[in-house]
Amino acid sequence: MAVTACQGLGFVVSLIGIAGVIAATCMDQWSTQDLYNNPVTAVFNYQGLWRSCVRESSGFTECRGYFTLLGLPAMLHAERALMVVGIVLGAIGLLVSIFALKCIRIGNMEDSAKANMTLTSGIMFIISGICAIAGVSVFANMLVTNFWMSTANMYTGMGGMVQTVQTRYTFGSALFVGWVAGGLTLIGGVMMCVACRGLAPEETNYKTVSYHASGHNVAYKPGGFKASTGFGSNTKNKKIYDGGARTEDEVQSHPSKYDYV
């Protein structure tokens, strides 16, 4: 029961995480205009991975896509690739995990196959979450670098007087959605990997007792009974009686008194 609950909970958490990664990738608020020390507030700019938008004070919003590939920064292409790879791996992991759920029976699928599928989907979820977190973190690092460079260029001259006004961008809501979604996907993948251990069939160890057929070389001793299992030479069979060892030839060559009765 605990394994089924862990697997189901991991699937739901991963599903929410993948949905959040898709939403963060499609959102336009990856970077928003910093309004601190900005005298112009009639226009508000924000940018995403795929287009940039301008919102006026009247409520009118105009967005324009990036119609070029070579003119974009290389870091932006890397962030796009990380997010797309995370979405693709997450979608494949969801498809595999659906068939791996213990509550769903498909034909005569064994528990070992379900355990392998659960482990595979868990690894895919972990990689997907790492890709999403890495993509968002790289974009955030780029924003921080550009923000402080713009701040340094704004304050020039003696006394720190503001000579120029530049548009600075800060963290948008899509970054926080991406961080949370990537973390949920990563947690869901770990839960699926943990549930895999419970789904795997346990190896049963049976205590075996070896049986050896007794041979014809039987020895008797006063201290107890000992049976040998080896098959030796058939020429002389040894028997031991009451501490003295005599062969069959010696017994026949020296008749006892009982032979004349």
Side-chain angles (χ1 to χ4, degrees), residues 24-116:
T25 306
C26 298
M27 290 176 65
D28 297 325
Q29 290 83 13
W30 279 68
S31 61
T32 58
Q33 183 179 355
D34 183 31
L35 300 178
Y36 182 74
N37 288 336
N38 190 3
V40 180
T41 58
V43 178
F44 180 71
N45 299 320
Y46 54 93
Q47 299 176 350
L49 294 179
W50 313 101
R51 61 181 182 174
S52 60
C53 300
V54 177
R55 185 177 64 197
E56 299 179 356
S57 58
S58 60
F60 178 76
T61 303
E62 181 181 0
C63 295
R64 181 182 180 185
Y66 303 133
F67 299 108
T68 179
L69 292 176
L70 299 178
L72 296 176
M75 295 299 294
L76 184 60
H77 290 295
E79 292 148 9
R80 286 179 173 181
L82 286 173
M83 299 304 292
V84 171
V85 168
I87 292 174
V88 172
L89 289 178
I92 297 175
L94 287 175
L95 183 62
V96 174
S97 61
I98 290 175
F99 296 100
L101 292 176
K102 193 174 182 179
C103 57
I104 298 178
R105 279 291 178 185
I106 302 176
N108 296 326
M109 184 179 296
E110 299 179 355
D111 292 338
S112 59
K114 284 184 173 292
N116 294 331

Side-chain angles (χ1 to χ4, degrees), residues 211-234:
Y211 172 77
H212 301 281
S214 59
H216 55 273
N217 293 339
V218 181
Y220 299 93
K221 293 183 179 180
F225 172 69
K226 179 179 179 182
S228 61
T229 59
F231 293 91
S233 175
N234 294 327

Side-chain angles (χ1 to χ4, degrees), residues 24 29-31 136 139-140 143 170-180:
Q29 290 83 13
W30 279 68
S31 61
V136 175
F139 192 91
L143 281 180
T170 184
F171 294 169
S173 57
L175 296 182
F176 301 100
V177 174
W179 274 319
V180 174

